[in-house]
């Protein structure tokens, strides 16, 4: 049947009013759980062994920073943590030497091997922090150093011909040493942790805890936790990064009971009941570093090395570094400025 102009206009109007049916988006199918016993052994569980072998071959990086006033036993504690002389006491200064006017950053690298696994450990010490009469903004060199390591990693990452394995100098963990006053945190402690908790994983520790009685220690720990909470200071493990209920339960216990760890460090061995133990000799007996009845060093060691080391690295990469990276790329319109090395790589690839 022939359609006149009026009919054609009506059809056009109708097509404008009635939209074409949209195609339904493709929804990915949920994976179906298959009982492997019915189909025989596949071997996916060997991925753990494959990852273990790869880690044993390549090793891994772990970078730990220690911050606090002189005389709190920072070097000794790190040596105790890794059971070797990884932090030299000479990185500080003797009483005869002039105290640095500003915070110095000293990084000492080591390779530690245990059970066939290699760890490239870097200890970053910060002599001069908090030792001046005027400590205003003395955290700035430390914040600058941390951000410089993120920048180094970012520049390597955006290179056209980038390395297969980018050297990782990013600070994975910052042990912040609190003086065992038994009173409250200094304004400097609060300011440092407020600024730096946004860029690095901070773990607060009460140094030389053997100078306090058991009651004083419990009370001081509670006071420090309260002050951190009142001032809105997040320390590691941060609540918002708990991945599941199991993590939350475990980390809540650490946050509410263990933090800040009240520790004693020593790299000297003594004989106690026929056993060699790390400890500090006092007129009243030996304070055993790894005895939980004496201090919480063992809890700190297990936390940093045996249960949360990989998580410290992941939070550094996925949270702190990603925050830095996103800000840098936004500020710079997409990419950081090309270095000479980047330009040469770019030209050689053209």
């Amino acid at each position: 049947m022939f359609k006149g102009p009026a009919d054609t206009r009506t059809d056009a109007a109708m097509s404008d009013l009635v939209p074409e049916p949209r195609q339904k988006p493709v929804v990915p199918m949920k994976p179906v759980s298959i009982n492997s016993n019915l189909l025989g052994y596949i071997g996916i569980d060997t991925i753990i062994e494959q990852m273990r072998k790869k880690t044993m071959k390549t090793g891994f990086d772990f970078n730990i920073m220690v911050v606090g006033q002189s005389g709190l036993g920072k070097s000794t504690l790190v040596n105790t943590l890794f059971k070797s002389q990884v932090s030299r006491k000479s990185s500080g200064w003797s009483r005869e030497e002039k105290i640095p006017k500003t915070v110095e950053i000293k990084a000492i690298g080591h390779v530690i091997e245990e059970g066939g696994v290699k760890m490239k450990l870097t200890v970053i010490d910060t002599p001069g922090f908090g030792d001046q009469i005027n400590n205003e903004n003395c955290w700035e060199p430390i914040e600058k150093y941390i951000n410089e390591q993120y920048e180094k990693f970012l520049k390597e990452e955006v290179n056209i011909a980038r390395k297969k394995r980018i050297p990782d100098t990013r600070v994975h963990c910052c042990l912040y040493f609190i003086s065992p006053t038994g009173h409250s945190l200094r304004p400097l402690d609060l300011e440092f942790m407020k600024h730096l908790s946004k860029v690095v994983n901070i773990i607060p520790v009460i140094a030389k805890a053997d100078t306090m009685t058991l009651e004083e220690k419990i009370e001081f720990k509670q006071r420090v936790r309260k002050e951190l909470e009142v001032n809105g200071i997040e320390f590691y493990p941060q609540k918002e990064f708990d991945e599941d209920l199991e993590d939350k339960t475990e980390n809540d216990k650490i946050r509410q009971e263990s933090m800040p760890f009240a520790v004693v460090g020593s790299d000297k061995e003594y004989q106690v009941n026929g056993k060699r133990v790390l400890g500090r000799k006092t007129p009243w007996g030996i304070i055993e570093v790894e005895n939980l009845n004496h201090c919480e060093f063992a809890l700190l060691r297990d936390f940093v090395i045996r249960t949360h080391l990989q998580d410290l690295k992941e939070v550094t990469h996925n949270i702190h570094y990603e925050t830095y990276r996103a800000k840098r790329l936004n500020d710079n319109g997409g990419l950081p400025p090309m270095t000479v090395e980047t330009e040469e790589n770019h030209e050689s690839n053209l």
Side-chain angles (χ1 to χ4, degrees):
M1 182 181 172
F2 173 75
K3 288 187 180 182
D7 295 331
T8 309
R9 281 197 303 272
T10 307
D11 288 349
M14 286 295 289
S15 65
D16 288 340
L17 290 170
V18 183
E20 289 183 14
R22 287 187 184 177
Q23 199 172 5
K24 286 186 179 179
V26 178
V27 179
M29 288 179 65
K30 288 184 180 178
V32 180
S33 179
I34 300 171
N35 187 341
S36 58
N37 293 330
L38 297 175
L39 303 174
Y41 177 68
I42 301 168
I44 56 172
D45 58 346
T46 61
I47 186 67
I48 304 299
E49 182 60 19
Q50 292 170 44
M51 288 162 73
R52 191 185 72 84
K53 281 183 179 175
K54 190 151 187 148
T55 304
M56 286 178 76
K57 279 182 189 174
T58 59
F60 64 95
D61 301 296
F62 187 62
N63 309 314
I64 186 168
M65 176 181 269
V66 289
V67 180
Q69 279 181 299
S70 298
L72 291 179
K74 300 188 298 292
S75 299
T76 304
L77 185 81
V78 174
N79 289 340
T80 316
L81 266 179
F82 297 101
K83 296 199 172 179
S84 56
Q85 297 296 315
V86 293
S87 185
R88 299 176 203 151
K89 287 175 183 172
S90 60
S91 65
W93 52 83
S94 66
R95 292 191 177 186
E96 292 75 32
E97 289 178 308
K98 193 176 178 183
I99 294 173
K101 288 184 180 176
T102 56
V103 178
E104 294 182 359
I105 312 287
K106 297 191 176 186
I108 304 164
H110 302 268
V111 175
I112 297 176
E113 190 169 346
E114 185 180 52
V117 178
K118 286 181 185 174
M119 177 170 74
K120 292 163 190 172
L121 173 71
T122 302
V123 178
I124 303 114
D125 199 0
T126 56
F129 178 83
D131 293 335
Q132 307 306 314
I133 295 169
N134 179 9
N135 289 302
E136 191 178 352
N137 299 338
C138 66
W139 59 80
E140 285 180 354
I142 297 170
E143 187 174 20
K144 183 171 178 272
Y145 177 88
I146 292 166
N147 284 329
E148 280 172 355
Q149 308 320 305
Y150 291 146
E151 184 68 19
K152 258 190 214 177
F153 197 89
L154 177 59
K155 283 182 176 172
E156 285 288 350
E157 208 175 40
V158 299
N159 271 345
I160 292 167
R162 65 183 180 184
K163 294 170 185 171
K164 186 181 176 183
R165 190 169 182 268
I166 299 172
D168 191 0
T169 60
R170 296 170 298 180
V171 181
H172 301 119
C173 171
C174 173
L175 294 181
Y176 187 82
F177 285 68
I178 298 165
S179 186
T181 60
H183 301 297
S184 57
L185 292 171
R186 299 173 302 159
L188 176 60
D189 299 325
L190 294 168
E191 282 298 316
F192 177 91
M193 287 190 268
K194 197 177 283 184
H195 279 84
L196 274 291
S197 60
K198 296 178 177 72
V199 295
V200 71
N201 295 315
I202 287 181
I203 298 174
V205 295
I206 298 168
K208 297 193 170 180
D210 53 324
T211 60
M212 295 187 288
T213 66
L214 188 61
E215 291 77 15
E216 286 170 343
K217 184 174 73 175
I218 291 167
E219 194 179 318
F220 189 42
K221 278 164 67 80
Q222 288 171 346
R223 191 176 290 125
V224 169
R225 281 198 296 269
K226 186 70 179 169
E227 286 188 69
L228 292 173
E229 186 185 341
V230 166
N231 286 276
I233 296 167
E234 285 280 347
F235 51 82
Y236 180 85
Q238 300 91 330
K239 289 177 187 175
E240 62 265 38
F241 305 149
D242 292 342
E243 291 186 356
D244 53 38
L245 188 61
E246 187 184 348
D247 275 1
K248 185 181 183 308
T249 305
E250 183 185 349
N251 289 339
D252 273 347
K253 191 175 179 187
I254 292 163
R255 285 186 285 257
Q256 292 161 17
E257 295 176 19
S258 303
M259 290 285 185
F261 294 97
V263 297
V264 176
S266 174
D267 41 20
K268 290 181 181 174
E269 284 191 342
Y270 295 94
Q271 194 88 13
V272 177
N273 299 327
K275 287 169 64 180
R276 300 291 294 174
V277 298
L278 286 169
R280 276 168 56 87
K281 193 172 184 179
T282 71
W284 305 276
I286 305 292
I287 296 163
E288 298 172 43
V289 166
E290 297 183 272
N291 186 335
L292 283 173
N293 293 320
H294 294 191
C295 80
E296 295 168 349
F297 168 80
L299 291 178
L300 173 66
R301 179 205 55 211
D302 290 356
F303 176 64
V304 171
I305 300 171
R306 300 183 184 181
T307 63
H308 283 68
L309 190 147
Q310 181 58 29
D311 190 63
L312 280 162
K313 286 168 65 68
E314 285 177 9
V315 171
T316 299
H317 181 77
N318 297 330
I319 308 296
H320 297 305
Y321 170 67
E322 279 301 316
T323 303
Y324 177 86
R325 179 178 170 276
K327 187 178 183 304
R328 280 287 285 113
L329 297 183
N330 281 332
D331 291 350
N332 221 34
L335 290 172
M338 273 192 169
T339 59
V340 174
E341 183 189 353
T342 312
E343 286 171 359
E344 286 171 359
N345 288 337
H346 180 63
E347 285 167 11
S348 65
N349 280 280
L350 292 176

PDB file of all heavy atoms in Angstrom, residues 84 106 117 132 174 190 274:
ATOM      1  N   SER A  84      71.463  -9.669  63.454  1.00  0.00           N
ATOM      2  CA  SER A  84      72.750  -9.387  62.810  1.00  0.00           C
ATOM      3  C   SER A  84      73.024  -7.894  62.918  1.00  0.00           C
ATOM      4  O   SER A  84      72.130  -7.110  63.247  1.00  0.00           O
ATOM      5  CB  SER A  84      72.736  -9.822  61.344  1.00  0.00           C
ATOM      6  OG  SER A  84      71.676  -9.202  60.666  1.00  0.00           O
ATOM      7  N   LYS A 106      70.393   8.203  56.570  1.00  0.00           N
ATOM      8  CA  LYS A 106      71.471   7.265  56.246  1.00  0.00           C
ATOM      9  C   LYS A 106      70.884   5.891  55.980  1.00  0.00           C
ATOM     10  O   LYS A 106      70.229   5.311  56.857  1.00  0.00           O
ATOM     11  CB  LYS A 106      72.473   7.198  57.395  1.00  0.00           C
ATOM     12  CG  LYS A 106      73.167   8.536  57.641  1.00  0.00           C
ATOM     13  CD  LYS A 106      74.326   8.402  58.596  1.00  0.00           C
ATOM     14  CE  LYS A 106      75.052   9.728  58.752  1.00  0.00           C
ATOM     15  NZ  LYS A 106      76.262   9.620  59.567  1.00  0.00           N
ATOM     16  N   VAL A 117      66.094 -18.403  51.291  1.00  0.00           N
ATOM     17  CA  VAL A 117      65.390 -17.189  50.847  1.00  0.00           C
ATOM     18  C   VAL A 117      66.280 -15.971  51.124  1.00  0.00           C
ATOM     19  O   VAL A 117      66.780 -15.806  52.237  1.00  0.00           O
ATOM     20  CB  VAL A 117      64.038 -17.017  51.579  1.00  0.00           C
ATOM     21  CG1 VAL A 117      63.349 -15.735  51.143  1.00  0.00           C
ATOM     22  CG2 VAL A 117      63.138 -18.207  51.308  1.00  0.00           C
ATOM     23  N   GLN A 132      67.080  18.659  68.507  1.00  0.00           N
ATOM     24  CA  GLN A 132      67.372  20.094  68.555  1.00  0.00           C
ATOM     25  C   GLN A 132      66.497  20.795  69.592  1.00  0.00           C
ATOM     26  O   GLN A 132      65.497  20.254  70.059  1.00  0.00           O
ATOM     27  CB  GLN A 132      67.122  20.724  67.170  1.00  0.00           C
ATOM     28  CG  GLN A 132      67.849  20.034  66.032  1.00  0.00           C
ATOM     29  CD  GLN A 132      69.337  19.903  66.264  1.00  0.00           C
ATOM     30  OE1 GLN A 132      69.999  20.854  66.666  1.00  0.00           O
ATOM     31  NE2 GLN A 132      69.872  18.709  66.041  1.00  0.00           N
ATOM     32  N   CYS A 174      57.945   2.100  58.880  1.00  0.00           N
ATOM     33  CA  CYS A 174      58.647   3.100  59.692  1.00  0.00           C
ATOM     34  C   CYS A 174      58.387   2.803  61.160  1.00  0.00           C
ATOM     35  O   CYS A 174      57.250   2.897  61.626  1.00  0.00           O
ATOM     36  CB  CYS A 174      58.171   4.508  59.329  1.00  0.00           C
ATOM     37  SG  CYS A 174      58.825   5.788  60.425  1.00  0.00           S
ATOM     38  N   LEU A 190      53.304  13.604  67.947  1.00  0.00           N
ATOM     39  CA  LEU A 190      51.987  13.704  67.309  1.00  0.00           C
ATOM     40  C   LEU A 190      52.084  14.339  65.925  1.00  0.00           C
ATOM     41  O   LEU A 190      51.471  13.858  64.970  1.00  0.00           O
ATOM     42  CB  LEU A 190      51.032  14.516  68.191  1.00  0.00           C
ATOM     43  CG  LEU A 190      50.657  13.874  69.535  1.00  0.00           C
ATOM     44  CD1 LEU A 190      49.954  14.875  70.428  1.00  0.00           C
ATOM     45  CD2 LEU A 190      49.786  12.638  69.320  1.00  0.00           C
ATOM     46  N   GLY A 274      70.840 -22.404  81.753  1.00  0.00           N
ATOM     47  CA  GLY A 274      71.496 -23.311  80.801  1.00  0.00           C
ATOM     48  C   GLY A 274      71.240 -22.980  79.341  1.00  0.00           C
ATOM     49  O   GLY A 274      71.665 -23.726  78.462  1.00  0.00           O
TER      50      GLY A 274
END
